[in-house]
Amino acid sequence: MPSQATRTRTTVDITELGFDADDVDVSVAVDENDDGTVVEVEHDSEAWTLTFDEYGELQATPSRSPPRWLGPAIKKAAPGLRVM
């Protein structure tokens, strides 16, 4: 049986999460398939790509230091993922 993939794109207002920012909107794209989930987060001119396994566990931390709001924004867009 072929795997079923879904892609959702959400805009998260990070001020609703308690963070101050000049550009409050963050774009979060979530690609889910049988093997796991890939999350792409875009804010201003920056972007982060995070990969989660099929159990929602983060596979690797971002190579550069992420902003404090990154985890809460992902959690709001994809509540089933385990983000620290």
Side-chain angles (χ1 to χ4, degrees):
M1 175 180 272
S3 66
Q4 193 69 12
T6 60
R7 180 175 176 94
T8 59
R9 183 170 293 277
T10 305
T11 300
V12 176
D13 180 344
I14 58 177
T15 60
E16 291 178 2
L17 302 174
F19 298 96
D20 291 328
D22 292 335
D23 183 8
V24 298
D25 289 330
V26 176
S27 174
V28 182
V30 181
D31 289 313
E32 297 180 57
N33 59 51
D34 292 340
D35 297 330
T37 304
V38 176
V39 177
E40 296 174 350
V41 180
E42 296 176 358
H43 180 257
D44 284 336
S45 62
E46 297 187 88
W48 296 266
T49 301
L50 293 92
T51 303
F52 297 82
D53 66 15
E54 63 271 18
Y55 305 108
E57 301 273 342
L58 182 62
Q59 292 297 300
T61 58
S63 58
R64 59 193 158 95
S65 189
R68 292 182 349 184
W69 52 259
L70 185 65
I74 293 171
K75 193 71 173 164
K76 182 165 178 110
L81 298 177
R82 296 187 186 132
V83 182
M84 300 271 177

Coordinates of all heavy atoms in Angstrom, one line a residue:
M1 N 0.8 -1.2 0.0 CA 0.0 0.0 0.0 C 0.9 1.2 0.0 O 1.8 1.3 0.8 CB -0.9 -0.1 1.2 CG -1.7 1.2 1.4 SD -2.8 1.1 2.9 CE -4.2 0.3 2.2
P2 N 0.7 2.2 -0.9 CA 1.5 3.4 -0.9 C 1.3 4.3 0.3 O 0.2 4.3 0.9 CB 1.0 4.1 -2.2 CG -0.3 3.6 -2.5 CD -0.4 2.2 -1.9
S3 N 2.4 5.0 0.7 CA 2.2 5.8 1.9 C 1.4 7.1 1.5 O 1.3 7.5 0.4 CB 3.6 6.3 2.3 OG 4.2 7.1 1.4
Q4 N 0.7 7.5 2.5 CA -0.1 8.7 2.4 C 0.6 9.9 3.0 O 1.0 9.9 4.1 CB -1.4 8.5 3.2 CG -2.5 9.4 2.9 CD -3.1 9.3 1.5 OE1 -2.8 8.3 0.8 NE2 -3.8 10.2 1.1
A5 N 0.9 10.9 2.2 CA 1.5 12.1 2.6 C 0.6 13.3 2.7 O -0.3 13.4 1.8 CB 2.7 12.4 1.7
T6 N 0.7 14.1 3.7 CA -0.1 15.3 3.8 C 0.8 16.5 4.1 O 1.8 16.4 4.7 CB -1.1 15.2 5.0 OG1 -0.4 15.0 6.2 CG2 -2.1 14.1 4.8
R7 N 0.4 17.6 3.5 CA 1.2 18.9 3.7 C 0.2 19.9 4.1 O -0.8 20.1 3.5 CB 1.9 19.3 2.4 CG 2.7 20.6 2.6 CD 3.4 20.9 1.3 NE 4.1 22.2 1.4 CZ 5.4 22.3 1.8 NH1 6.1 21.2 2.1 NH2 6.0 23.5 1.8
T8 N 0.6 20.6 5.2 CA -0.2 21.7 5.7 C 0.7 22.9 5.9 O 1.9 22.8 6.2 CB -0.9 21.4 7.1 OG1 0.1 21.1 8.0 CG2 -1.9 20.3 6.9
R9 N 0.1 24.1 5.7 CA 0.9 25.3 5.9 C 0.1 26.2 6.8 O -1.1 26.4 6.6 CB 1.2 26.0 4.6 CG 2.0 27.3 4.8 CD 2.6 27.9 3.5 NE 3.5 27.1 2.9 CZ 4.8 27.0 3.1 NH1 5.3 27.7 4.1 NH2 5.6 26.3 2.4
T10 N 0.7 26.7 7.9 CA 0.0 27.4 8.9 C 0.8 28.7 9.1 O 2.0 28.7 9.1 CB 0.0 26.6 10.2 OG1 -0.7 25.4 10.0 CG2 -0.8 27.4 11.3
T11 N 0.1 29.8 9.4 CA 0.8 31.0 9.8 C 0.5 31.2 11.3 O -0.6 31.1 11.8 CB 0.2 32.2 9.1 OG1 0.4 32.1 7.7 CG2 0.8 33.5 9.6
V12 N 1.6 31.3 12.1 CA 1.5 31.5 13.5 C 2.0 32.9 13.9 O 3.0 33.4 13.5 CB 2.5 30.4 14.2 CG1 2.5 30.6 15.7 CG2 2.1 29.0 13.8
D13 N 1.1 33.5 14.7 CA 1.5 34.8 15.3 C 2.2 34.6 16.6 O 1.7 34.2 17.6 CB 0.2 35.6 15.5 CG 0.4 37.0 16.1 OD1 1.6 37.3 16.6 OD2 -0.5 37.8 16.0
I14 N 3.6 34.9 16.6 CA 4.4 34.5 17.7 C 4.1 35.5 18.9 O 4.4 35.1 20.1 CB 5.9 34.5 17.4 CG1 6.4 35.8 16.8 CG2 6.2 33.3 16.5 CD1 7.9 35.8 16.6
T15 N 3.4 36.6 18.7 CA 3.1 37.4 19.9 C 2.0 36.7 20.7 O 1.9 36.9 21.9 CB 2.6 38.8 19.5 OG1 1.5 38.7 18.6 CG2 3.7 39.6 18.8
E16 N 1.2 35.9 20.0 CA 0.1 35.1 20.8 C 0.8 34.1 21.7 O 0.2 33.6 22.6 CB -0.8 34.4 19.8 CG -1.7 35.3 19.1 CD -2.6 34.6 18.1 OE1 -2.6 33.4 18.0 OE2 -3.4 35.3 17.4
L17 N 2.1 33.7 21.4 CA 2.8 32.8 22.2 C 3.6 33.5 23.3 O 4.4 32.8 24.0 CB 3.7 31.9 21.3 CG 3.0 31.2 20.2 CD1 4.1 30.5 19.3 CD2 2.1 30.1 20.7
G18 N 3.5 34.8 23.3 CA 4.2 35.6 24.4 C 5.6 36.1 24.0 O 6.4 36.5 24.8
F19 N 5.9 36.1 22.7 CA 7.2 36.6 22.2 C 7.1 37.9 21.5 O 6.1 38.1 20.8 CB 7.9 35.6 21.3 CG 8.2 34.3 22.0 CD1 7.3 33.2 21.9 CD2 9.3 34.1 22.7 CE1 7.5 32.0 22.5 CE2 9.6 32.9 23.4 CZ 8.7 31.9 23.3
D20 N 8.0 38.8 21.6 CA 8.1 40.1 20.9 C 8.9 39.9 19.6 O 9.9 39.3 19.7 CB 8.7 41.2 21.8 CG 7.8 41.5 23.0 OD1 6.6 41.5 22.9 OD2 8.4 41.9 24.0
A21 N 8.4 40.5 18.6 CA 9.1 40.5 17.3 C 8.6 41.6 16.4 O 7.4 42.0 16.5 CB 8.9 39.1 16.6
D22 N 9.5 42.1 15.5 CA 9.0 43.1 14.6 C 8.1 42.5 13.6 O 7.1 43.1 13.2 CB 10.2 43.7 13.9 CG 11.1 44.5 14.8 OD1 10.6 45.0 15.8 OD2 12.3 44.7 14.5
D23 N 8.4 41.4 13.0 CA 7.6 40.6 12.1 C 7.0 39.5 12.9 O 7.7 38.5 13.2 CB 8.4 40.1 10.9 CG 7.5 39.4 9.8 OD1 6.3 39.5 10.0 OD2 8.1 38.9 8.9
V24 N 5.7 39.6 13.2 CA 5.1 38.6 14.1 C 4.6 37.3 13.5 O 4.4 36.3 14.1 CB 3.9 39.2 14.9 CG1 4.4 40.4 15.7 CG2 2.8 39.6 13.9
D25 N 4.5 37.3 12.1 CA 4.0 36.1 11.5 C 5.1 35.2 11.1 O 6.1 35.6 10.5 CB 3.2 36.5 10.2 CG 1.9 37.1 10.6 OD1 1.3 36.8 11.6 OD2 1.4 37.9 9.8
V26 N 4.9 33.9 11.4 CA 5.9 32.8 11.1 C 5.1 31.8 10.2 O 4.0 31.4 10.6 CB 6.4 32.1 12.4 CG1 7.3 31.0 12.1 CG2 7.1 33.2 13.3
S27 N 5.7 31.4 9.1 CA 5.1 30.4 8.2 C 5.6 29.1 8.6 O 6.9 28.9 8.7 CB 5.4 30.7 6.8 OG 4.9 29.7 6.0
V28 N 4.7 28.1 8.9 CA 5.1 26.8 9.3 C 4.5 25.8 8.3 O 3.3 25.7 8.2 CB 4.7 26.4 10.7 CG1 5.2 25.0 11.1 CG2 5.2 27.5 11.7
A29 N 5.3 25.0 7.6 CA 4.9 24.0 6.7 C 5.2 22.6 7.3 O 6.3 22.4 7.7 CB 5.5 24.1 5.3
V30 N 4.2 21.8 7.3 CA 4.3 20.5 7.9 C 4.0 19.4 6.9 O 2.9 19.4 6.3 CB 3.4 20.3 9.1 CG1 3.6 18.9 9.8 CG2 3.6 21.4 10.2
D31 N 5.1 18.6 6.5 CA 4.9 17.5 5.6 C 4.9 16.2 6.4 O 6.0 15.8 7.0 CB 6.0 17.5 4.6 CG 5.9 18.6 3.6 OD1 4.8 18.8 3.1 OD2 7.0 19.3 3.3
E32 N 3.8 15.5 6.4 CA 3.7 14.2 7.2 C 3.6 13.1 6.2 O 2.9 13.1 5.2 CB 2.5 14.2 8.1 CG 2.5 15.3 9.2 CD 1.3 15.2 10.0 OE1 1.0 14.2 10.6 OE2 0.6 16.2 10.1
N33 N 4.4 12.0 6.5 CA 4.3 10.7 5.8 C 4.5 9.6 6.7 O 4.7 9.8 7.9 CB 5.2 10.7 4.5 CG 6.7 10.9 5.0 OD1 7.2 10.2 5.8 ND2 7.4 11.8 4.4
D34 N 4.5 8.4 6.2 CA 4.6 7.2 7.1 C 6.0 7.1 7.8 O 6.1 6.5 8.9 CB 4.4 5.9 6.2 CG 3.0 5.8 5.8 OD1 2.1 6.4 6.3 OD2 2.8 5.0 4.8
D35 N 7.0 7.7 7.2 CA 8.4 7.6 7.8 C 8.6 8.7 8.8 O 9.6 8.6 9.5 CB 9.4 7.7 6.6 CG 9.3 6.6 5.7 OD1 8.9 5.5 6.1 OD2 9.6 6.7 4.5
G36 N 7.8 9.7 8.8 CA 8.1 10.8 9.8 C 7.5 12.1 9.3 O 6.6 12.2 8.4
T37 N 8.0 13.2 9.8 CA 7.5 14.6 9.5 C 8.6 15.5 9.3 O 9.6 15.5 10.0 CB 6.6 15.1 10.7 OG1 5.6 14.1 10.9 CG2 6.0 16.4 10.4
V38 N 8.5 16.4 8.2 CA 9.5 17.4 8.0 C 8.7 18.7 8.2 O 7.7 19.0 7.6 CB 10.1 17.3 6.6 CG1 11.0 18.5 6.3 CG2 10.8 16.0 6.4
V39 N 9.3 19.6 9.0 CA 8.7 20.9 9.3 C 9.7 22.0 8.8 O 10.9 22.0 9.1 CB 8.5 21.1 10.8 CG1 8.0 22.4 11.2 CG2 7.6 20.0 11.4
E40 N 9.1 22.9 8.0 CA 9.9 24.0 7.5 C 9.3 25.3 8.1 O 8.1 25.5 8.0 CB 9.8 24.1 6.0 CG 10.5 22.9 5.3 CD 10.3 22.9 3.8 OE1 9.5 23.7 3.3 OE2 10.9 22.0 3.2
V41 N 10.1 26.1 8.8 CA 9.7 27.3 9.4 C 10.4 28.5 8.7 O 11.6 28.5 8.6 CB 10.0 27.3 10.9 CG1 9.5 28.6 11.6 CG2 9.4 26.1 11.6
E42 N 9.6 29.5 8.3 CA 10.2 30.7 7.7 C 9.7 31.9 8.5 O 8.6 32.1 8.8 CB 9.7 30.8 6.3 CG 10.1 29.7 5.4 CD 9.6 29.7 4.0 OE1 8.8 30.7 3.7 OE2 9.9 28.9 3.2
H43 N 10.7 32.8 8.7 CA 10.5 34.1 9.4 C 11.4 35.1 8.9 O 12.6 34.9 8.9 CB 10.7 33.9 10.9 CG 10.4 35.1 11.7 ND1 11.4 35.9 12.2 CD2 9.3 35.8 12.1 CE1 10.9 36.9 12.8 NE2 9.6 36.9 12.8
D44 N 10.9 36.2 8.4 CA 11.8 37.2 7.7 C 12.5 36.5 6.6 O 12.0 35.8 5.8 CB 12.7 37.9 8.7 CG 11.9 38.9 9.6 OD1 10.9 39.4 9.1 OD2 12.4 39.2 10.7
S45 N 13.9 36.6 6.6 CA 14.7 36.0 5.6 C 15.3 34.7 6.1 O 16.2 34.2 5.4 CB 15.8 37.0 5.2 OG 16.6 37.3 6.3
E46 N 14.9 34.2 7.3 CA 15.5 33.0 7.8 C 14.6 31.8 7.7 O 13.4 32.0 7.6 CB 15.8 33.2 9.3 CG 16.9 34.3 9.5 CD 17.3 34.3 11.0 OE1 18.2 33.6 11.3 OE2 16.7 35.1 11.7
A47 N 15.2 30.6 7.6 CA 14.4 29.4 7.5 C 15.1 28.3 8.3 O 16.3 28.2 8.4 CB 14.2 29.0 6.1
W48 N 14.3 27.4 8.8 CA 14.7 26.3 9.6 C 14.0 25.0 9.1 O 12.8 25.1 8.8 CB 14.5 26.4 11.1 CG 15.2 27.5 11.7 CD1 16.4 27.5 12.3 CD2 14.8 28.9 11.8 NE1 16.8 28.7 12.8 CE2 15.8 29.6 12.5 CE3 13.7 29.6 11.4 CZ2 15.7 30.9 12.7 CZ3 13.6 30.9 11.6 CH2 14.6 31.6 12.3
T49 N 14.7 23.9 8.9 CA 14.1 22.7 8.5 C 14.4 21.6 9.6 O 15.6 21.4 9.9 CB 14.6 22.2 7.1 OG1 14.3 23.2 6.2 CG2 13.9 20.9 6.7
L50 N 13.3 21.0 10.2 CA 13.5 20.0 11.2 C 12.8 18.7 10.8 O 11.7 18.8 10.2 CB 12.9 20.5 12.5 CG 13.6 21.7 13.1 CD1 13.0 23.0 12.7 CD2 13.6 21.6 14.6
T51 N 13.5 17.6 11.1 CA 12.9 16.3 10.7 C 12.6 15.5 12.0 O 13.4 15.5 12.9 CB 14.0 15.5 9.9 OG1 14.3 16.3 8.7 CG2 13.4 14.2 9.4
F52 N 11.4 14.9 12.0 CA 11.0 14.1 13.1 C 10.7 12.7 12.6 O 10.3 12.5 11.5 CB 9.7 14.7 13.7 CG 9.8 16.1 14.2 CD1 9.8 17.2 13.4 CD2 10.0 16.3 15.6 CE1 9.9 18.5 13.9 CE2 10.1 17.6 16.1 CZ 10.1 18.7 15.2
D53 N 10.9 11.8 13.5 CA 10.7 10.4 13.1 C 9.2 10.1 13.2 O 8.3 10.9 13.5 CB 11.5 9.4 14.0 CG 11.1 9.4 15.4 OD1 10.0 9.9 15.8 OD2 11.9 8.8 16.2
E54 N 8.8 8.8 12.9 CA 7.4 8.4 12.9 C 6.7 8.5 14.2 O 5.5 8.5 14.3 CB 7.2 7.0 12.3 CG 7.8 5.9 13.1 CD 9.3 5.7 12.7 OE1 9.9 6.5 12.1 OE2 9.8 4.6 13.1
Y55 N 7.5 8.7 15.3 CA 6.9 8.8 16.7 C 6.9 10.3 17.1 O 6.5 10.5 18.3 CB 7.8 8.0 17.7 CG 7.9 6.5 17.2 CD1 9.1 6.0 16.7 CD2 6.8 5.7 17.3 CE1 9.2 4.7 16.3 CE2 6.9 4.4 16.8 CZ 8.1 3.9 16.4 OH 8.2 2.6 15.9
G56 N 7.3 11.2 16.3 CA 7.2 12.6 16.6 C 8.4 13.1 17.3 O 8.4 14.2 17.9
E57 N 9.5 12.3 17.4 CA 10.8 12.7 18.0 C 11.7 13.4 17.1 O 11.8 13.0 15.9 CB 11.5 11.4 18.6 CG 10.7 10.6 19.5 CD 10.9 11.1 21.0 OE1 11.8 11.8 21.3 OE2 10.0 10.7 21.8
L58 N 12.3 14.5 17.5 CA 13.2 15.3 16.7 C 14.4 14.5 16.4 O 15.0 13.9 17.3 CB 13.6 16.6 17.4 CG 14.5 17.5 16.7 CD1 13.8 18.1 15.4 CD2 14.9 18.7 17.6
Q59 N 14.8 14.4 15.1 CA 15.9 13.6 14.6 C 17.3 14.3 14.9 O 18.2 13.6 15.2 CB 15.8 13.3 13.2 CG 14.7 12.3 12.9 CD 14.9 11.0 13.5 OE1 15.9 10.3 13.3 NE2 14.0 10.6 14.4
A60 N 17.3 15.6 14.7 CA 18.6 16.3 14.9 C 18.2 17.8 15.2 O 17.2 18.3 14.7 CB 19.5 16.3 13.7
T61 N 19.0 18.4 16.0 CA 18.7 19.8 16.3 C 19.3 20.7 15.2 O 20.1 20.3 14.4 CB 19.5 20.2 17.7 OG1 20.8 20.0 17.5 CG2 18.9 19.4 18.8
P62 N 18.7 21.9 15.1 CA 19.2 22.8 14.0 C 20.7 23.0 14.1 O 21.2 23.1 15.3 CB 18.4 24.0 14.2 CG 17.2 23.6 14.9 CD 17.6 22.4 15.8
S63 N 21.4 23.2 13.0 CA 22.8 23.5 13.1 C 23.2 24.8 13.7 O 24.3 25.0 14.2 CB 23.4 23.4 11.7 OG 22.8 24.3 10.8
R64 N 22.3 25.8 13.6 CA 22.5 27.1 14.2 C 21.5 27.3 15.3 O 20.5 26.6 15.3 CB 22.5 28.2 13.2 CG 21.2 28.3 12.5 CD 21.3 29.2 11.2 NE 20.3 29.0 10.3 CZ 19.1 29.6 10.2 NH1 18.9 30.6 11.1 NH2 18.2 29.3 9.3
S65 N 21.8 28.2 16.2 CA 21.0 28.4 17.3 C 19.6 28.9 16.9 O 19.5 30.0 16.3 CB 21.7 29.4 18.3 OG 21.0 29.5 19.5
P66 N 18.5 28.2 17.3 CA 17.2 28.7 16.9 C 16.7 29.8 17.8 O 17.1 29.9 19.0 CB 16.4 27.4 17.0 CG 17.0 26.6 18.1 CD 18.5 26.9 17.9
P67 N 15.7 30.6 17.3 CA 15.1 31.6 18.2 C 14.3 30.9 19.3 O 13.8 29.7 19.1 CB 14.3 32.4 17.3 CG 14.0 31.5 16.1 CD 15.2 30.6 16.0
R68 N 14.1 31.5 20.4 CA 13.3 30.9 21.5 C 11.9 30.5 21.1 O 11.3 29.6 21.6 CB 13.2 31.8 22.7 CG 14.6 32.0 23.4 CD 14.5 32.9 24.6 NE 13.1 33.6 24.6 CZ 12.7 34.5 25.4 NH1 13.5 34.9 26.3 NH2 11.5 35.0 25.4
W69 N 11.3 31.2 20.2 CA 9.9 31.0 19.8 C 9.7 29.8 18.8 O 8.6 29.4 18.5 CB 9.3 32.2 19.1 CG 10.1 32.8 18.0 CD1 10.9 33.9 18.1 CD2 10.2 32.4 16.7 NE1 11.5 34.2 16.9 CE2 11.1 33.2 16.0 CE3 9.6 31.3 16.0 CZ2 11.4 33.0 14.6 CZ3 9.9 31.1 14.6 CH2 10.8 32.0 14.0
L70 N 10.8 29.3 18.3 CA 10.7 28.2 17.3 C 10.0 27.0 17.8 O 9.0 26.5 17.1 CB 12.1 27.8 16.8 CG 12.1 26.8 15.6 CD1 11.5 27.4 14.4 CD2 13.6 26.3 15.3
G71 N 10.3 26.5 18.9 CA 9.7 25.3 19.5 C 8.2 25.5 19.7 O 7.3 24.7 19.3
P72 N 7.8 26.6 20.4 CA 6.4 26.9 20.6 C 5.6 27.1 19.3 O 4.4 26.7 19.2 CB 6.3 28.1 21.5 CG 7.6 28.1 22.2 CD 8.6 27.5 21.3
A73 N 6.2 27.7 18.3 CA 5.5 27.9 17.0 C 5.3 26.5 16.3 O 4.2 26.3 15.8 CB 6.3 28.8 16.1
I74 N 6.3 25.6 16.4 CA 6.1 24.3 15.8 C 5.0 23.6 16.6 O 4.1 22.9 16.0 CB 7.4 23.5 15.8 CG1 8.4 24.2 14.8 CG2 7.2 22.1 15.4 CD1 9.8 23.6 14.8
K75 N 5.0 23.6 17.9 CA 4.1 22.9 18.7 C 2.6 23.4 18.4 O 1.7 22.6 18.4 CB 4.4 23.2 20.2 CG 3.7 22.3 21.1 CD 4.2 20.9 21.0 CE 3.7 20.0 22.0 NZ 3.9 18.6 21.7
K76 N 2.5 24.7 18.2 CA 1.1 25.2 17.8 C 0.7 24.7 16.5 O -0.5 24.4 16.3 CB 1.2 26.8 17.8 CG -0.2 27.4 17.5 CD -0.3 28.8 17.9 CE -1.6 29.4 17.5 NZ -2.4 29.7 18.7
A77 N 1.6 24.6 15.5 CA 1.2 24.2 14.1 C 1.1 22.7 14.1 O 0.3 22.2 13.3 CB 2.3 24.7 13.1
A78 N 1.9 21.9 14.9 CA 1.9 20.5 14.8 C 1.9 19.9 16.2 O 3.0 19.5 16.7 CB 3.0 20.0 14.0
P79 N 0.8 19.9 17.0 CA 0.8 19.6 18.4 C 1.3 18.2 18.7 O 1.7 17.9 19.8 CB -0.7 19.7 18.8 CG -1.3 20.4 17.7 CD -0.5 20.3 16.5
G80 N 1.3 17.2 17.7 CA 1.7 15.9 18.0 C 3.2 15.7 18.0 O 3.7 14.6 18.4
L81 N 4.0 16.7 17.7 CA 5.4 16.6 17.6 C 6.0 16.9 19.0 O 5.5 17.8 19.7 CB 6.0 17.5 16.5 CG 5.6 17.2 15.1 CD1 6.2 18.2 14.1 CD2 6.0 15.7 14.7
R82 N 7.1 16.3 19.3 CA 7.8 16.5 20.6 C 8.9 17.6 20.3 O 10.0 17.2 19.8 CB 8.4 15.3 21.1 CG 7.3 14.3 21.5 CD 7.8 13.1 22.2 NE 6.7 12.2 22.4 CZ 6.7 10.9 22.1 NH1 7.8 10.4 21.7 NH2 5.7 10.2 22.3
V83 N 8.7 18.8 20.7 CA 9.6 19.9 20.5 C 10.1 20.4 21.8 O 9.2 20.6 22.7 CB 9.0 21.0 19.7 CG1 10.0 22.1 19.4 CG2 8.4 20.5 18.4
M84 N 11.4 20.6 22.0 CA 11.9 21.1 23.3 C 12.1 22.6 23.1 O 12.5 23.1 22.1 CB 13.2 20.5 23.6 CG 13.1 19.0 23.8 SD 12.7 18.7 25.5 CE 12.5 17.0 25.5

